[in-house]
Amino acid sequence: FVVFVDETGANTNQLKDGRVGGEQFILPREESGQCAPIGATTDLHFTVLPFMSGTGEAIMCALIFKSELDISKIPVSWKTGIDITASNVYDMKQVMKGGPTCTYRGKTIPCFYGASPNASITADLLVSMLKFLDMLNVFDRSICHPFLLLDGHHSRMSLQFLRYINDDSHRWFCCFGVPYATHLWQPNDAEGLNGKFKLELTRAKRKYLLARG
């Protein structure tokens, strides 16, 4: 019932992905500077928010797309994705799998999708994420109310958020961690976890690029 959440910005652009595991690239002698394999150069920003329990288990993955449109109005393919590496292109469950699904305390929790102009967290989105978890009855409040540890982002200060977490029908105990020390109290912000995520995202983008031929 102790929950951590932290946002990580990401981009489809591969120019700044760098090298994975100290790998080396063969280049013409006259070339200089940071180099990487050919890849996507278009900026498509998105944010990933993993909700994690104090036991280290994944509770929910939330994705925020960069869009001026409400999430209900953006293309469905943004949510489902299109896996061009699927072995059977006629099996829609393989081709359009969607974001990560988590299993926690016997509950299957689908990926949460949202959108904002800068792909950043907002008060509306944060409340919607908690509502999503409450709708699925992830936490049995006959045992206790869930405890959520957050950083001091301004979305946590909104009246809308405060009203939601203080409603007796779905109360959340929320606490702000000490600023400038998130690497100590925020597990998802630890260098090992954040770094691993970036490396795996780089590998996934390369795999997708190679599959396109």
Side-chain angles (χ1 to χ4, degrees), residues 36-210:
I38 295 173
T41 58
T42 303
D43 284 324
L44 291 174
H45 294 278
F46 60 98
T47 297
V48 181
L49 294 95
F51 283 72
M52 190 175 79
S53 76
T55 60
E57 299 169 272
I59 299 174
M60 181 180 75
C61 178
L63 294 177
I64 303 175
F65 301 113
K66 182 178 180 179
S67 176
E68 297 285 346
L69 299 175
D70 182 78
I71 190 65
S72 62
K73 297 179 181 179
I74 66 174
V76 173
S77 61
W78 284 31
K79 304 175 187 178
T80 62
I82 300 175
D83 185 1
I84 62 175
T85 68
S87 57
N88 183 356
V89 296
Y90 299 104
D91 185 349
M92 289 298 100
K93 289 185 178 179
Q94 279 194 39
V95 178
M96 306 178 81
K97 292 186 287 189
T101 296
C102 300
T103 302
Y104 182 67
R105 297 180 62 83
K107 301 281 185 177
T108 299
I109 306 170
C111 186
F112 173 93
Y113 304 98
S116 68
N118 296 314
S120 57
I121 187 69
T122 65
D124 286 343
L125 287 171
L126 184 57
V127 170
S128 295
M129 291 173 194
L130 299 188
K131 283 182 178 178
F132 190 67
L133 292 172
D134 288 337
M135 178 187 68
L136 296 172
N137 295 316
V138 175
F139 301 103
D140 183 357
R141 284 182 168 79
S142 67
I143 300 174
C144 68
H145 296 297
F147 173 85
L148 180 62
L149 185 59
L150 298 161
D151 59 24
H153 189 271
H154 62 82
S155 62
R156 286 60 150 159
M157 315 295 178
S158 71
L159 186 58
Q160 176 188 7
F161 175 69
L162 295 174
R163 280 176 172 164
Y164 186 82
I165 63 174
N166 285 292
D167 189 313
D168 286 334
S169 61
H170 41 67
R171 183 179 295 277
W172 286 75
F173 292 129
C174 295
C175 182
F176 297 151
V178 178
Y180 310 113
T182 56
H183 63 291
L184 297 176
W185 60 262
Q186 184 64 279
N188 294 328
D189 204 33
E191 185 177 353
L193 286 178
N194 212 354
K196 180 65 173 176
F197 170 77
K198 297 291 187 181
L199 289 177
E200 293 304 326
L201 181 61
T202 295
R203 288 193 177 104
K205 286 191 283 186
R206 290 185 188 176
K207 180 181 178 181
Y208 187 86
L209 186 71
L210 289 173

